[in-house]
Amino acid sequence: MSAWKNPVVHPRGKPLTPEEKRLLVSVNQYFRRNRLAFGSSDSPAQMTSDALDVGLATVNRVMAQYRKDPESLDAPTLMRGRPAYSIESSDQESVRAYIREANREGVHITLETIQVFLRSKSPDQIYHISTLARTLDRWGFEFGKGIRTQHLKEKDNIISARQRYLRKMRGNRNSDNQPLRPEVYLDESYVNKNHSHDLVWHSVEDGPWIQKPTGKGERLIILNAITMDGWVPNAKIVFKSTRKTGDYHGQMDGKLFSKWFTEALLPNIPSQSIIVMDNASYHNILTEDSAPTPTCSKERIRDWLDQNKIPCAEDCLKVELVEILRKIAPEPTYEVDVIAKKEGHKVLRTPPYHPELQPIEKCWAVVKNEVARHCDFSLENLRIQLDAAFEKVTANTCKKIIKNIRDVEDKFWQEDADFEEKQENFSL
């Protein structure tokens, strides 16, 4: 019964693998042939159920499937239960690439085709269509007019934001594609106490001996930054999360980030640096004299309009005030941008929903993978292993990652131009 690995503890509710189904059939046929020798009044199906600790209904279902079509046992069984209510952010890059490739080729693409694509990556994961639609909307996609027909595509504001960012980054490149000003990439992340690999080597007869705790455990929040020379010296800070739910964003605020930015980051980066960060809310705290944004309160928007002598009716709704604001307001100014500028630096923000343009994301992956390899499910060991894991990201690691990100930038830039040209030619 080696194919069953550990038959007495087969997880309830987990589908049988093709190998386990065939083992079940073999055991059932054995008991059917030797029933009299065992002197049992139970049916072969009941004896198989008792021997393998599998439900009688499961045995009957597998045997019926086998009698109908023996080869059908090799087909993977779909996971039962409710579909997942969220899609992993790690799938964002591959989904974006998949949709963009379909758009370039003029291939019709829908939520159903995206669903099939995700299933091909993770056969055991089921995503409901409505969950997929909400996620794609949040990631900056829409169902709109394509080159030949209606299909999924990126929203225009996402494409515009990406082009503005890429134009600025390309403006910091010399003829050899090297930066004119040093580039610094900062980000926040987290790691849980029980962060470990799910798969381990183990004895076939004994099964895995590691008992992984339920839940994710306590959490450490991390802030750091990289350059072509590796981690920025003395910029790393690590602290324990005080909340059990949500991600690291719930632990951060503008005051904490500004203090780290001013005291730990700026003193340790090269002069005249370009500092790249994402659009987290605590990165975008407005200065007191900044023009408001559409997300600001109605009162702040109205006050700014009054101060700038922009007439508007007393009974205007917020949506009306925002409409006026969009037409006349200058770009907002952010606290950290002003702080950086005083020190001779410049801040750039990656376009929304583009983790693939932030090289430090790859560094986090290296760090977390190293932590997972040495997890013993204790917070004390997590802190020790986290320090050791940071050593795995060297200057050479950062150079390679940043070079790869530049290739991604160039690909985005060229593909957007090519796709627009194709659309223009088709409309002529």
Side-chain angles (χ1 to χ4, degrees):
M1 297 185 182
S2 59
W4 204 271
K5 299 181 180 178
N6 196 349
V8 298
V9 291
H10 184 81
R12 296 290 182 183
K14 181 179 179 181
L16 303 182
T17 66
E19 293 78 11
E20 290 170 339
K21 290 179 183 179
R22 291 201 172 277
L23 174 62
L24 184 151
V25 170
S26 297
V27 172
N28 182 271
Q29 292 174 336
Y30 173 80
F31 283 134
R32 186 175 297 278
R33 291 193 305 268
N34 298 281
R35 180 182 177 189
L36 296 178
F38 281 98
S40 173
S41 59
D42 290 336
S43 66
Q46 184 63 61
M47 296 171 71
T48 302
S49 173
D50 294 339
L52 298 179
D53 192 31
V54 176
L56 180 60
T58 299
V59 174
N60 288 330
R61 184 171 59 252
V62 172
M63 291 307 301
Q65 180 184 6
Y66 173 75
R67 286 190 287 271
K68 184 177 180 180
D69 180 10
E71 298 303 319
S72 67
L73 297 184
D74 293 325
T77 305
L78 296 178
M79 289 288 289
R80 292 187 296 171
R82 294 185 178 184
Y85 287 106
S86 63
I87 300 176
E88 294 294 333
S89 58
S90 58
D91 288 323
Q92 184 177 150
E93 183 176 346
S94 59
V95 169
R96 184 182 301 281
Y98 179 74
I99 294 177
R100 285 171 61 82
E101 179 64 25
N103 289 171
R104 286 196 304 274
E105 298 299 325
V107 176
H108 184 66
I109 188 167
T110 64
L111 291 173
E112 287 75 15
T113 55
I114 301 296
Q115 190 180 47
V116 171
F117 169 71
L118 287 170
R119 176 66 64 82
S120 70
K121 294 176 77 271
S122 303
D124 293 338
Q125 188 61 274
I126 303 173
Y127 294 119
H128 195 278
I129 285 292
S130 59
T131 298
L132 184 56
R134 288 193 301 270
T135 302
L136 289 175
D137 178 71
R138 191 172 64 252
W139 285 352
F141 293 95
E142 64 182 356
F143 193 73
K145 186 176 181 180
I147 295 178
R148 296 182 178 87
T149 183
Q150 293 274 350
H151 62 187
L152 280 164
K153 64 175 184 177
E154 290 182 290
K155 296 178 181 178
D156 289 343
N157 65 304
I158 298 298
I159 298 174
S160 297
R162 181 170 61 232
Q163 285 292 299
R164 288 193 296 270
Y165 172 77
L166 294 176
R167 187 173 291 109
K168 292 174 183 177
M169 293 298 288
R170 291 168 65 86
N172 191 47
R173 304 277 193 263
N174 62 20
S175 58
D176 295 325
N177 207 27
Q178 297 301 309
L180 300 173
R181 297 173 62 173
E183 296 171 352
V184 179
Y185 300 88
L186 68 85
D187 194 27
E188 305 80 22
S189 191
Y190 67 93
V191 62
N192 293 301
K193 182 181 69 174
N194 297 336
H195 179 67
S196 60
H197 292 310
D198 292 329
L199 302 179
V200 296
W201 288 100
H202 59 83
S203 165
V204 174
E205 288 76 17
D206 297 338
W209 63 269
I210 295 178
Q211 298 299 313
K212 185 173 181 177
T214 58
K216 297 180 179 180
E218 298 167 290
R219 174 178 298 168
L220 296 181
I221 311 297
I222 317 162
L223 283 78
N224 212 340
I226 64 168
T227 67
M228 291 282 285
D229 296 323
W231 297 110
V232 172
N234 305 314
K236 180 184 73 174
I237 66 168
V238 179
F239 61 93
K240 183 180 174 182
S241 170
T242 58
R243 297 184 184 180
K244 296 182 179 180
T245 59
D247 61 15
Y248 61 88
H249 292 291
Q251 294 294 298
M252 295 293 299
D253 57 35
K255 184 177 180 180
L256 174 60
F257 177 76
S258 180
K259 180 178 175 63
W260 172 81
F261 187 84
T262 304
E263 299 179 5
L265 181 71
L266 295 186
N268 295 297
I269 61 176
S271 62
Q272 299 292 309
S273 288
I274 290 181
I275 304 171
V276 181
M277 64 181 77
D278 62 25
N279 285 276
S281 59
Y282 44 83
H283 294 167
N284 296 340
I285 304 299
L286 297 173
T287 61
E288 291 185 2
D289 59 349
S290 170
T293 64
T295 59
C296 290
S297 68
K298 178 181 178 180
E299 181 182 6
R300 179 165 184 178
I301 295 175
R302 179 177 285 281
D303 287 345
W304 186 85
L305 292 173
D306 289 342
Q307 291 169 11
N308 287 272
K309 303 186 185 309
I310 308 300
C312 54
E314 287 296 326
D315 58 355
C316 273
L317 299 175
K318 181 179 178 179
V319 291
E320 296 177 281
L321 299 180
V322 168
E323 186 177 44
I324 299 172
L325 185 71
R326 291 185 188 278
K327 293 178 180 178
I328 65 172
E331 287 292 318
T333 55
Y334 302 109
E335 289 183 357
V336 294
D337 297 48
V338 173
I339 295 171
K341 186 175 181 180
K342 288 180 180 178
E343 300 295 327
H345 307 295
K346 180 180 180 181
V347 171
L348 288 184
R349 288 170 176 80
T350 53
Y353 322 114
H354 280 72
E356 62 267 47
L357 293 178
Q358 177 58 283
I360 196 172
E361 292 282 358
K362 306 293 185 182
C363 297
W364 293 140
V366 173
V367 169
K368 291 184 179 183
N369 183 63
E370 190 66 18
V371 167
R373 293 179 62 235
H374 299 91
C375 177
D376 72 353
F377 313 110
S378 72
L379 191 62
E380 180 182 3
N381 181 66
L382 174 60
R383 291 183 181 276
I384 295 172
Q385 297 304 329
L386 187 58
D387 287 337
F390 271 97
E391 298 298 324
K392 295 293 182 178
V393 179
T394 65
N396 189 48
T397 305
C398 292
K399 284 185 177 68
K400 289 181 179 179
I401 292 174
I402 292 173
K403 181 181 182 301
N404 290 338
I405 295 298
R406 288 176 184 165
D407 293 339
V408 174
E409 292 174 354
D410 292 341
K411 184 178 179 182
F412 268 127
W413 181 265
Q414 188 60 50
E415 286 180 352
D416 284 343
D418 292 344
F419 186 59
E420 180 179 73
E421 182 179 0
K422 183 181 292 187
Q423 287 182 309
E424 289 293 323
N425 291 337
F426 184 78
S427 63
L428 294 177

